[in-house]
């Protein structure tokens, strides 16, 4: 190897020192007689292997110590649902109920759901009866027979179904009187007169209460529909637990699963 003069690198500029080619660093390779063992292990490789080995040994020692000090009477509820297989803890598959026990539970569920559905149906019917035609427009036709003298004396108007006629009759509904001369037709029914007066005189508090009742009616209607679907599903599951050949039908979009049983002669 040629020797360089003392201070030669120091006199050179820093940029030129980086450009000059230096000797390539070469590590000792595996001897030819040991080529079958692969690459020669270096110290950095040994450090990684040693750390991994000692980590595993520490874990095994901790498990041995834990097993040595284990209480034989120790019990956890997780032991009920696990079993040891080939030295590995595995969870036991819960088969659940079957046979008559499952049918009994299905019948109880159907009874509870049917009771809740009947309760909701009664509440929905009661709310619909209370809120029936409160905001509906006057409809229908009524023919009232009056004389001309009675018509002039009671306000001179022939429209008994509107709000005007109800006010002209001082809040009373016009009676269907028979006369000899006139026939008057009204475009609405008597029952809608009071509805028109109430709509005009309804306060903000009454409007709020009415709105809340409509919201309650909508919620209870949806709840009744959900309970009906749940009851149908339980009935289908209960029938599937029974005997009989059946095949699964292709349901339409949004419909539940459907099955068709084969007709069998009952003895």
């Amino acid at each position: 190897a040629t020797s360089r003069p003392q201070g030669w690198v120091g006199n050179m500029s820093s940029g030129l020192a980086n450009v000059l080619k230096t000797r390539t660093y070469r590590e000792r390779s595996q001897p030819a007689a040991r080529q079958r063992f692969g690459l020669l292990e270096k110290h950095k490789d040994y450090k990684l292997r040693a750390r991994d080995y000692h980590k595993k040994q520490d874990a095994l020692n901790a498990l041995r110590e834990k097993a040595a000090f284990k209480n034989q009477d120790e019990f956890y509820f997780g032991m009920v649902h696990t079993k040891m297989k080939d030295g590995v803890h595995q969870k036991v598959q819960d088969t659940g109920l079957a046979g008559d026990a499952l049918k009994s539970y299905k019948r109880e569920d159907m009874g509870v759901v049917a009771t809740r559905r009947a309760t909701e149906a009664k509440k929905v019917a009661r709310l619909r009866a209370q809120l029936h035609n409160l905001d509906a427009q006057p409809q229908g036709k009524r023919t009232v027979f009056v004389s001309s003298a009675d018509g002039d004396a009671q306000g001179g108007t022939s429209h008994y179904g509107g709000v005007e006629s109800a006010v002209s009759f001082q809040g009373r509904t016009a009676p269907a009187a028979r006369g000899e001369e006139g026939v008057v037709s009204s475009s609405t029914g008597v029952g809608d007169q009071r509805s028109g007066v109430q709509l005009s005189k309804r306060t903000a508090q009454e409007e709020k209460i009415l709105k809340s009742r409509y919201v309650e009616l909508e919620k209870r209607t949806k709840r009744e529909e959900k309970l009906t679907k749940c009851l149908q599903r339980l009935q289908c599951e209960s029938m599937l637990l029974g005997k009989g050949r059946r095949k699964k039908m292709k349901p339409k979009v949004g419909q539940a699963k459907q099955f068709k049983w084969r007709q069998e002669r009952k003895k």
Side-chain angles (χ1 to χ4, degrees), residues 39 66 89 93 103 108 118 178 182 191 210-211 217 223 262:
L39 298 176
K66 186 175 181 181
H89 285 280
Q93 296 292 336
K103 292 181 181 179
E108 292 179 2
R178 290 187 176 274
L210 185 62
K211 185 177 180 180
L217 176 61
R223 193 178 306 165
R262 181 178 180 180

Side-chain angles (χ1 to χ4, degrees), residues 197-210:
V197 177
Q198 290 176 359
L199 286 174
S200 61
K201 295 183 179 180
R202 191 176 296 157
T203 61
Q205 183 68 17
E206 293 175 349
E207 288 284 353
K208 185 177 180 180
I209 296 174
L210 185 62

Side-chain angles (χ1 to χ4, degrees), residues 2-165:
T2 58
S3 60
R4 296 178 179 176
Q6 187 70 22
W8 180 76
V9 178
N11 294 333
M12 293 178 60
S13 62
S14 59
L16 185 59
N18 295 330
V19 171
L20 288 176
K21 184 178 181 180
T22 58
R23 182 176 62 88
T24 304
Y25 177 75
R26 299 177 64 186
E27 291 185 349
R28 179 171 174 264
S29 61
Q30 185 77 279
R34 296 176 55 87
Q35 289 292 336
R36 64 182 183 276
F37 297 113
L39 298 176
L40 181 65
E41 184 183 36
K42 304 301 186 296
H43 181 69
K44 60 180 181 179
D45 302 325
Y46 163 75
K47 285 175 62 177
L48 294 176
R49 184 170 58 85
R51 286 174 182 172
D52 181 66
Y53 172 78
H54 287 295
K55 183 179 179 181
K56 293 177 180 178
Q57 288 298 320
D58 293 341
L60 290 174
N61 292 332
L63 290 175
R64 291 191 187 99
E65 183 180 359
K66 186 175 181 181
F69 290 98
K70 179 184 177 181
N71 182 9
Q72 298 298 330
D73 298 329
E74 191 174 6
F75 173 76
Y76 297 100
F77 284 99
M79 298 177 181
V80 178
H81 304 288
T82 56
K83 65 178 181 179
M84 184 77 73
K85 185 177 181 180
D86 298 333
V88 180
H89 285 280
Q90 295 182 353
K91 279 194 172 184
V92 179
Q93 296 292 336
D94 188 9
T95 56
L97 300 174
D100 296 337
L102 184 57
K103 292 181 181 179
S104 176
Y105 276 100
K106 290 292 183 182
R107 283 195 296 268
E108 292 179 2
D109 294 342
M110 288 169 56
V112 173
V113 174
T115 304
R116 294 295 303 273
R117 177 180 170 273
T119 304
E120 290 296 332
K122 289 181 181 178
K123 292 181 180 180
V124 168
R126 190 182 303 115
L127 282 173
R128 285 179 178 172
Q130 293 175 357
L131 302 175
H132 181 65
N133 286 336
L134 286 182
D135 292 335
Q137 296 295 330
Q139 296 179 358
K141 185 176 180 180
R142 182 186 178 192
T143 302
V144 181
F145 297 89
V146 298
S147 62
S148 60
D150 294 340
D152 295 338
Q154 295 182 359
T157 178
S158 60
H159 299 283
Y160 291 152
V163 178
E164 275 188 339
S165 63

